[in-house]
Amino acid sequence: MSRQRFMAKKIILKGIVQGVGCRGYTARYARIFGLKGSATNLNNGTVRLLIDCDDDKIISAYVSALIQNPKGIMFYGKITDFEVNDYDGKITGDYVF
């Protein structure tokens, strides 16, 4: 019997996402959703999130909350686009939550 391997998600946030509190903002919403992961500023101006979750519905709700900010969490930027992909690696980054 084979076991399906757990996959994390890699989310790339685009827009005004660096130098505006985005990593802390994503961590606060992650805590609300009970998620663990990391956020890293990339050289191309995006933010990469590695989220230790393979549930597409939870990831979709999390990304939706990041874009819509229903809790009114302080965030000085604006997420204008995103990409979500499966990720099969170590959860590391410069802002771990």
Side-chain angles (χ1 to χ4, degrees), residues 47-94:
V47 169
R48 181 193 69 201
L49 305 176
L50 300 176
I51 305 295
D52 195 9
C53 177
D54 67 349
D55 186 318
D56 289 334
K57 289 182 181 180
I58 292 172
I59 293 296
S60 179
Y62 173 64
V63 171
S64 179
L66 293 177
I67 292 168
Q68 297 174 10
N69 195 8
K71 300 284 187 191
I73 295 171
M74 190 179 315
F75 175 51
Y76 298 106
K78 181 171 178 62
I79 299 166
T80 59
D81 197 11
F82 66 92
E83 298 172 15
V84 178
N85 293 292
D86 288 338
Y87 177 77
D88 185 19
K90 190 173 180 181
I91 305 290
T92 61
D94 54 38

Side-chain angles (χ1 to χ4, degrees), residues 3 7 13-14 20 44 71 82-83 95-96:
R3 290 177 57 181
M7 290 291 263
L13 302 179
K14 301 175 183 180
V20 292
N44 64 1
K71 300 284 187 191
F82 66 92
E83 298 172 15
Y95 193 102
V96 177

